[in-house]
Amino acid sequence: MWLKVDNTIINTDSINCQLTLDEGATIYLEIDIEKYPDYSNLFIDKYENNKNFLIESSNYSALGCYIKRIDILFNKKISMDITCEKIDTDVSKRRDKIISDILEQK
C-alpha cells in the first residue's frame, strides 16, 4: 500500500482511516523503517515540529494533517495516529492525478 505525504510517496504496511462526524478523520499508519529507513526522519520531523501536511492516496485526500501519536520500535517499525481537519473521499475529482501516481509506483 502507498500514500503520498506532501510530495513524497510512502510505502506502508497498514493504512486505516476512521471518518468523523464532521469533515475530519483519523488515519492510522504502520511503516516498516527497517525496509525504508528514510521515512523515520520524515515523520519524526513532522511530529517534533508539529507540522501540518497533506496526505493523498487512491481513496482520499486529507488536508491539515498532523501526527497526534507516534510509536517507534527502533529500526523496525513506526506506528502513528494522524488527525486530519478535512478529508475528501470523492475520487472522481482527482482521477487523473491518482492514475499518474499509481503509474509512477510501477
Side-chain angles (χ1 to χ4, degrees), residues 52-105:
N52 264 352
F53 54 96
L54 167 71
I55 293 178
E56 294 177 287
S57 78
S58 58
N59 299 318
Y60 54 81
S61 178
L63 307 167
C65 300
Y66 65 93
I67 299 172
K68 184 175 179 181
R69 178 196 60 85
I70 189 167
D71 290 331
I72 302 169
L73 180 57
F74 289 99
N75 300 320
K76 298 283 182 194
K77 180 172 70 170
I78 291 180
S79 299
M80 292 173 274
D81 295 354
I82 299 172
T83 301
C84 305
E85 294 174 5
K86 183 174 179 165
I87 192 159
D88 180 9
T89 57
D90 185 1
V91 177
S92 64
K93 292 187 264 182
R94 305 180 348 261
R95 183 172 287 120
D96 291 338
K97 186 170 183 343
I98 292 168
I99 291 169
S100 175
D101 288 342
I102 290 170
L103 291 175
E104 287 176 17
Q105 281 298 105

Side-chain angles (χ1 to χ4, degrees), residues 4-49:
K4 194 182 238 186
V5 174
D6 291 331
N7 289 318
T8 305
I9 294 180
I10 304 292
N11 294 298
T12 67
D13 289 344
S14 172
I15 305 172
N16 292 304
C17 184
Q18 180 180 18
L19 302 175
T20 61
L21 292 175
D22 57 8
E23 296 181 325
T26 300
I27 298 171
Y28 305 96
L29 292 181
E30 284 189 11
I31 297 172
D32 183 347
I33 57 174
E34 187 171 29
K35 202 183 282 184
Y36 306 103
D38 294 342
Y39 296 169
S40 179
N41 291 334
L42 173 79
F43 287 106
I44 289 172
D45 176 60
K46 291 190 182 307
Y47 178 73
E48 288 179 345
N49 295 303

